[in-house]
Amino acid sequence: MPKNSKVTQREHSNEHVTESVADLLALEEPVDYKQSVLNVAGEAGGKQKAVEEELDAEDRPAWNSKLQYILAQIGFSVGLGNIWRFPYLCQKNGGGAYLVPYLVLLIIIGIPLFFLELAVGQRIRRGSIGVWHYVCPRLGGIGFSSCIVCLFVGLYYNVIIGWSIFYFFKSFQYPLPWSECPVIRNGTVAVVEAECEKSSATTYFWYREALDISNSISESGGLNWKMTLCLLVAWSIVGMAVVKGIQSSGKVMYFSSLFPYVVLACFLVRGLLLRGAVDGILHMFTPKLDKMLDPQVWREAATQVFFALGLGFGGVIAFSSYNKQDNNCHFDAALVSFINFFTSVLATLVVFAVLGFKANIMNEKCVVENAEKILGYLNSNVLSRDLIPPHVNFSHLTTKDYAEMYNVIMTVKEDRFSALGLDPCLLEDELDKSVQGTGLAFIAFTEAMTHFPASPFWSVMFFLMLINLGLGSMIGTMAGITTPIIDTFKVPKEMFTVGCCVFAFFVGLLFVQRSGNYFVTMFDDYSATLPLTVIVILENIAVAWIYGTKKFMQELTEMLGFRPYRFYFYMWKFVSPLCMAILTTASIIQLGVTPPGYSAWIKEEAAERYLYFPNWAMALLITLIVVATLPIPVVFVLRHFHLLSDGSNTLSVSYKKGRMMKDVSNLEENDETRFILSKVPSEAPSPMPTHRSYLGPGSTSPLESSSNPNGRYGSGYLLASTPESEL
């Protein structure tokens, strides 16, 4: 070989040298390519697989253990939504009746698509951009859309972690600062803050002390400096956790994924010992069967399944791409899905046990307040003492006695009863009061904890749990952004990760204005939901109908060493796409029928009021949805009209430290694949290894040969780790 060749230069240097296949072969004697260590036709079998696995293992980071990987997937999928959104949906949609549509959709949509994302990530060993570029180049925009949705979610999700950090530090005092209304002193006169007196101490602390919220989304009010600092701390924690990729985030997962279960177990034991806990749990499991037939309930259940498992975000694919090829991702899908559902039910038990306790406290308070009204009416002769049953003792009035007295007065004073202003004080009414999302954690649950013995301890534990749950999800969300970008564009990992965190912090200042909570609602409820549904359905279509379900099952059989259940074949091919198409249609109709809006806190009324988004906010919302989905049609059009290369004519070899490594770079107009094989690109096999053929349910799997057995691309190669002198 000439002394000036790049290969010869590499022998005397450790520098990374990349040389195209055409350049190499121009300096080489003719060889038998079928027997050569550089097998471009991709005809090798077991040796090829072993070499690829060795090269991938050297090139790509890997999890230190299977436990670390499982904890990472659990940390990503089990998040804040399991703690407050799932219990809220149970409470709103019929208690135990909600579990039926959720379980059905988890089985027919959630688990199959979760398995699909795990499988494609592990098989192709790239982030979402690389995966969908390989599966179907014209739908390669799916990966870019996933990155954008991850960015949208990460922007507001870390704000919620910032709120939890604020409450965490405020919990180190007794009594808790949200246990009592503040008192305003003017000389010798002390007056309770009017806004707090009209609402409650915990509600006032949340809206005024923590958020210092404005009356509407149109009133910015400037930055909330306390939440700005908390947001900075949150992004600093996330940045340190993900800066080294899975080498740093994997270690964090041992604590952030396991600690919440310790806290939930402690809260469950403590909650079951509370007075009234059984009332709350029975209320949860008492099904309202009419809700099971409500289409809105099924739509909300499907959306919760997507968010709970992290489908479409790219984090699942990113994490699984660091696995070995022979990892049993089928078992992983079932295990993580079960743990996720178990966590949601466990959190719901805890929440309803604590809310049952709170409901009893509030019901007793209602009885006392209304009993005082009745005593006042008796002393002023508005009511006759004959209306009071003889066994009723006002000094020890039970809820049962009050209910009996209330019914007697309502019957006798039917015409003037409404003027008395008495409340029925029913426990069921307290349990039916739905508190959504952040209100459940930062208002209802915090209020219940003020009645716990050693309440600061329980508050510290609760908000530390929320921080860890949010951190686990943020690590997966960041992986959904950084992994595909680093894989595709080869940018420096640490620099790009830090840059993402800094950029996200400054954009996130939008959410720590006084009106920031309303923007959180916009992003959480609307901007991510519809694009995410579109992404998931296109992922399913790309694999099942374009790449081919039979072909995909064939590759899974080769990768796993066993044939997956035929259940997945039918779910991927027919059931899941149909269900998701219905869900997407329902979501679009819902947006058209019910204009998007938000719950605004009106300071003067000390109450919430539902407001519609103004025109400029609607324009922003539509822009966010368009931006999130725009890469899909753009990439499709560019590749359909050959304005963007689909990578079918890209092939090169790079040398580093004595081994041949796979690398992809654009070639010149002369097609080097054709130069080697004397074939057009479409006739050459793909980079993926050959497989035993799997023909779908009810068929055998004989070995078969094909002119293009290996996937979408039109070029294939096998690189072996041998000295260059063997070329």
Side-chain angles (χ1 to χ4, degrees):
M1 187 174 291
K3 293 182 180 180
N4 61 349
S5 99
K6 294 182 181 179
V7 175
T8 306
Q9 293 174 21
R10 196 220 56 80
E11 291 178 351
H12 303 286
S13 171
N14 288 328
E15 294 183 0
H16 189 113
V17 181
T18 300
E19 187 166 16
S20 69
V21 176
D23 292 338
L24 283 172
L25 295 183
L27 299 172
E28 289 295 312
E29 296 295 331
V31 295
D32 181 358
Y33 293 109
K34 292 186 178 181
Q35 302 299 323
S36 172
V37 293
L38 181 61
N39 185 336
V40 187
E43 295 177 359
K47 183 179 178 180
Q48 177 180 9
K49 182 177 179 181
V51 170
E52 283 202 351
E53 289 180 356
E54 181 182 353
L55 293 174
D56 282 339
E58 181 177 333
D59 252 359
R60 194 167 186 79
W63 299 103
N64 292 335
S65 66
K66 180 65 175 280
L67 176 61
Q68 189 180 77
Y69 164 67
I70 292 296
L71 290 178
Q73 290 288 12
I74 291 172
F76 176 49
S77 64
V78 176
L80 298 174
N82 297 77
I83 302 299
W84 61 47
R85 182 169 173 80
F86 189 89
Y88 160 73
L89 291 174
C90 275
Q91 185 182 25
K92 173 188 174 185
N93 295 320
Y98 174 74
L99 298 178
V100 175
Y102 184 85
L103 269 175
V104 170
L105 293 172
L106 179 65
I107 292 172
I108 66 174
I109 295 180
I111 296 177
L113 296 182
F114 189 60
F115 179 31
L116 184 147
E117 290 199 358
L118 290 178
V120 295
Q122 180 175 307
R123 181 61 180 164
I124 303 172
R125 305 205 73 185
R126 289 294 179 267
S128 56
I129 295 176
V131 161
W132 300 115
H133 175 79
Y134 171 76
V135 172
C136 178
R138 290 184 181 180
L139 290 181
I142 294 175
F144 291 98
S145 289
S146 293
C147 292
I148 295 173
V149 171
C150 278
L151 175 62
F152 288 171
V153 172
L155 287 174
Y156 76 81
Y157 206 87
N158 226 22
V159 174
I160 301 175
I161 297 178
W163 296 342
S164 302
I165 291 172
F166 175 80
Y167 269 79
F168 172 75
F169 285 108
K170 286 291 185 178
S171 298
F172 289 95
Q173 50 187 301
Y174 184 81
L176 291 171
W178 52 82
S179 59
E180 296 177 352
C181 285
V183 176
I184 302 174
R185 297 188 178 277
N186 185 9
T188 59
V189 179
V191 181
V192 176
E193 172 65 46
E195 186 180 3
C196 184
E197 189 176 23
K198 293 178 182 177
S199 53
S200 68
T202 50
T203 304
Y204 173 82
F205 187 87
W206 167 241
Y207 283 118
R208 193 54 50 211
E209 296 293 334
L211 301 181
D212 193 19
I213 200 166
S214 60
N215 284 356
S216 72
I217 195 172
S218 299
E219 302 175 24
S220 169
L223 290 177
N224 181 338
W225 67 268
K226 293 177 289 186
M227 288 306 169
T228 303
L229 290 178
C230 291
L231 181 63
L232 178 62
V233 172
W235 274 114
S236 300
I237 294 173
V238 171
M240 289 186 290
V242 301
V243 68
K244 295 291 185 180
I246 63 171
Q247 283 83 2
S248 57
S249 62
K251 296 179 177 64
V252 174
M253 287 297 183
Y254 283 111
F255 180 77
S256 65
S257 296
L258 294 176
F259 178 74
Y261 289 95
V262 176
V263 178
L264 282 176
C266 294
F267 265 100
L268 180 62
V269 173
R270 184 68 187 93
L272 292 176
L273 297 176
L274 294 172
R275 178 171 49 87
V278 176
D279 295 327
I281 294 174
L282 289 177
H283 178 76
M284 167 196 165
F285 283 108
T286 303
K288 299 176 181 177
L289 300 179
D290 59 309
K291 290 286 187 178
M292 292 175 56
L293 302 177
D294 187 350
Q296 177 69 12
V297 173
W298 287 80
R299 189 182 71 86
E300 291 184 346
T303 303
Q304 178 62 17
V305 167
F306 289 165
F307 276 93
L309 293 177
L311 299 176
F313 287 98
V316 173
I317 294 175
F319 282 159
S320 65
S321 71
Y322 299 114
N323 271 331
K324 295 181 179 179
Q325 285 272 326
D326 59 352
N327 174 65
N328 188 352
C329 57
H330 176 264
F331 171 78
D332 300 343
L335 177 64
V336 174
S337 299
F338 170 77
I339 292 176
N340 187 289
F341 177 69
F342 167 77
T343 306
S344 297
V345 174
L346 176 63
T348 304
L349 285 173
V350 171
V351 167
F352 274 84
V354 173
L355 291 183
F357 166 70
K358 173 180 173 288
N360 274 268
I361 296 291
M362 300 306 295
N363 193 53
E364 291 175 359
K365 182 180 178 181
C366 176
V367 168
V368 171
E369 291 176 351
N370 282 271
E372 291 177 354
K373 288 183 182 180
I374 293 175
L375 280 174
Y377 292 144
L378 291 175
N379 294 332
S380 60
N381 295 322
V382 174
L383 294 177
S384 171
R385 293 187 179 272
D386 296 335
L387 299 177
I388 310 301
H391 63 277
V392 171
N393 184 354
F394 277 91
S395 59
H396 296 88
L397 189 64
T398 65
T399 55
K400 183 179 179 180
D401 291 340
Y402 174 78
E404 183 180 352
M405 184 169 55
Y406 176 87
N407 290 330
V408 171
I409 296 174
M410 183 174 63
T411 303
V412 175
K413 298 289 186 178
E414 183 176 357
D415 296 337
R416 294 182 297 166
F417 180 77
S418 59
L420 299 177
L422 298 177
D423 297 317
C425 296
L426 298 176
L427 181 63
E428 190 73 16
D429 292 342
E430 290 292 337
L431 291 171
D432 280 335
K433 290 181 179 178
S434 297
V435 183
Q436 182 177 8
T438 53
L440 182 61
F442 295 103
I443 298 177
F445 212 87
T446 52
E447 183 174 351
M449 286 189 295
T450 59
H451 301 287
F452 285 14
S455 55
F457 167 78
W458 293 104
S459 183
V460 167
M461 293 288 283
F462 177 71
F463 289 108
L464 185 58
M465 176 187 70
L466 292 188
I467 293 170
N468 279 275
L469 285 170
L471 179 60
S473 296
M474 274 302 300
I475 289 174
T477 301
M478 289 297 294
I481 300 172
T482 58
T483 298
I485 298 297
I486 292 171
D487 285 347
T488 305
F489 301 104
K490 310 300 180 186
V491 295
K493 180 191 301 181
E494 291 82 2
M495 185 181 300
F496 179 69
T497 302
V498 172
C500 281
C501 293
V502 173
F503 171 78
F505 167 72
F506 283 106
V507 177
L509 295 177
L510 172 71
F511 303 98
V512 291
Q513 303 175 95
R514 291 182 58 199
S515 60
N517 188 46
Y518 306 138
F519 287 97
V520 171
T521 300
M522 175 190 293
F523 275 68
D524 187 22
D525 291 350
Y526 301 104
S527 68
T529 303
L530 185 57
L532 192 66
T533 307
V534 173
I535 289 170
V536 174
I537 191 172
L538 288 177
E539 287 180 354
N540 197 164
I541 292 173
V543 171
W545 288 93
I546 300 177
Y547 191 79
T549 309
K550 292 182 180 180
K551 187 176 183 181
F552 186 58
M553 292 289 280
Q554 165 190 326
E555 295 195 352
L556 286 181
T557 303
E558 177 69 19
M559 183 174 72
L560 300 176
F562 63 88
R563 188 176 74 178
Y565 298 119
R566 62 179 62 188
F567 163 80
Y568 294 106
F569 181 93
Y570 294 115
M571 293 300 105
W572 289 332
K573 190 75 172 178
F574 305 110
V575 179
S576 295
L578 177 61
C579 292
M580 288 187 294
I582 295 173
L583 172 63
T584 304
T585 304
S587 299
I588 295 174
I589 293 174
Q590 180 70 20
L591 285 176
V593 173
T594 306
Y598 61 100
S599 293
W601 178 258
I602 310 301
K603 180 178 180 180
E604 294 73 20
E605 302 174 5
E608 289 184 341
R609 185 193 301 171
Y610 190 82
L611 302 177
Y612 295 118
F613 286 119
N615 292 335
W616 66 266
M618 282 297 301
L620 175 60
L621 174 58
I622 294 172
T623 301
L624 292 172
I625 295 175
V626 171
V627 168
T629 54
L630 190 60
I632 298 173
V634 168
V635 172
F636 181 89
V637 170
L638 291 178
R639 285 188 172 146
H640 180 76
F641 292 103
H642 307 292
L643 301 176
L644 181 66
S645 171
D646 65 357
S648 60
N649 64 336
T650 61
L651 180 64
S652 71
V653 181
S654 60
Y655 298 90
K656 187 176 182 181
K657 296 182 180 179
R659 291 183 180 272
M660 287 191 253
M661 306 299 293
K662 289 184 293 185
D663 188 29
V664 177
S665 60
N666 291 325
L667 302 181
E668 301 298 331
E669 292 183 0
N670 55 318
D671 190 339
E672 299 190 9
T673 305
R674 185 173 182 178
F675 175 83
I676 298 169
L677 299 177
S678 298
K679 296 180 180 180
V680 295
S682 61
E683 294 174 340
S686 78
M688 298 299 289
T690 55
H691 311 286
R692 293 190 301 271
S693 177
Y694 176 75
L695 301 179
S699 63
T700 59
S701 301
L703 292 174
E704 65 178 19
S705 60
S706 172
S707 62
N708 186 14
N710 296 313
R712 179 62 183 84
Y713 290 117
S715 59
Y717 53 90
L718 169 63
L719 303 176
S721 55
T722 60
E724 287 75 26
S725 59
E726 292 182 25
L727 286 174

